[in-house]
Amino acid sequence: MIIELRNLKPQYMSESEVAGSDIYLQPSVVFERGRKYMICARSGHGKTSLLNFIYGSNLYYDGVIDYHEPVSSPFDLRLRKLSYLFQDLCLFPELTALENVQIKNSLTEHKSEAEIEAMLDALLPASKKHQPLRTLSLGQRQRVAAVRALCQPFEFLLMDEPFSHLDHETAQQVAAMTLREVEAQGASLLLTSLDPTDLFPFDCTLKL
């Protein structure tokens, strides 16, 4: 799968607001499988909107998003082609950390139970795995959301400011785990950030 954006612009942003963007209102921006892209912008400049447009959870845009293959519905894409680490995490607070990952993995059975537990054990204190999400810190929840995003097949992994609540050492651990999974699946990474980060070997940096 290739993702091509043509003349893309959020309907709720003016042309002057996106002037100078490497992505918005460009005739053609192509994201190729197997490459890693960093998308930088200040707060309020449409980073989350961009990933939501690609994921199909926000349709308030002008222009074209072309996946260069037949797409029956956004749900079809999300099951096999796209995975997303949301900025607001979108976890279930009453479920445990483990259950939040299991419920995602149950759709595709991409990971074994042992693999899921090993991923969580690498990022969380042992006692936290079976606690309701609402009892975990924001940083711990972000780690759970990262594991959940990796527990499905994907060709593109979308990450929206994925390290905003993590210290540098933990961010390095999450990045290393993510990079292993991205490379194992021969996938692409699209990561948004307020500032440049060296946590991944990016092939391309774009300004939004």
Side-chain angles (χ1 to χ4, degrees):
M1 184 174 72
I2 295 173
I3 300 175
E4 182 181 7
L5 314 179
R6 296 194 294 271
N7 299 303
L8 190 72
K9 184 184 78 68
Q11 292 178 351
Y12 37 83
M13 296 180 74
S14 67
E15 290 192 12
S16 63
E17 287 179 288
V18 299
S21 171
D22 294 331
I23 296 177
Y24 287 141
L25 287 180
Q26 294 300 316
S28 176
V29 177
V30 176
F31 297 116
E32 300 175 353
R33 186 173 180 183
R35 292 173 63 83
K36 301 169 188 68
Y37 301 88
M38 180 166 60
I39 301 164
C40 288
R42 299 194 308 274
S43 179
H45 277 240
K47 298 186 300 299
T48 297
S49 290
L50 174 66
L51 297 189
N52 287 343
F53 296 153
I54 293 171
Y55 196 63
S57 56
N58 183 342
L59 303 180
Y60 293 102
Y61 62 85
D62 298 320
V64 175
I65 299 177
D66 188 350
Y67 302 95
H68 286 261
E69 64 178 53
V71 177
S72 58
S73 73
F75 303 104
D76 180 50
L77 277 176
R78 296 170 196 169
L79 190 63
R80 295 288 177 184
K81 305 287 188 176
L82 298 176
S83 187
Y84 193 177
L85 174 50
F86 299 88
Q87 187 179 24
D88 59 2
L89 306 183
C90 295
L91 296 166
F92 298 99
E94 298 306 316
L95 298 182
T96 67
L98 179 59
E99 288 168 341
N100 265 277
V101 180
Q102 288 172 327
I103 197 170
K104 176 69 172 289
N105 189 67
S106 67
L107 299 174
T108 60
E109 298 183 348
H110 181 66
K111 294 289 186 183
S112 68
E113 190 72 14
E115 287 174 316
I116 292 172
E117 298 217 24
M119 293 168 78
L120 287 173
D121 287 340
L123 299 178
L124 285 177
S127 62
K128 302 295 183 181
K129 188 168 56 178
H130 300 289
Q131 290 184 205
L133 251 291
R134 57 179 170 75
T135 67
L136 271 59
S137 71
L138 191 52
Q140 290 167 341
R141 296 178 203 180
Q142 195 166 45
R143 293 175 232 175
V144 174
V147 172
R148 184 186 62 176
L150 300 179
C151 287
Q152 72 161 80
F154 57 81
E155 295 184 12
F156 284 80
L157 174 61
L158 316 178
M159 303 183 81
D160 192 8
E161 298 187 43
F163 309 119
S164 56
H165 304 293
L166 303 181
D167 60 78
H168 187 66
E169 181 178 353
T170 305
Q172 287 180 313
Q173 293 176 310
V174 173
M177 181 181 292
T178 299
L179 186 60
R180 287 194 297 270
E181 190 65 30
V182 166
E183 293 184 342
Q185 298 205 42
S188 284
L189 173 66
L190 272 64
L191 181 147
T192 67
S193 179
L194 291 170
D195 301 297
T197 174
D198 60 358
L199 288 169
F200 293 96
F202 291 102
D203 298 294
C204 182
T205 298
L206 297 166
K207 183 183 71 173
L208 198 57

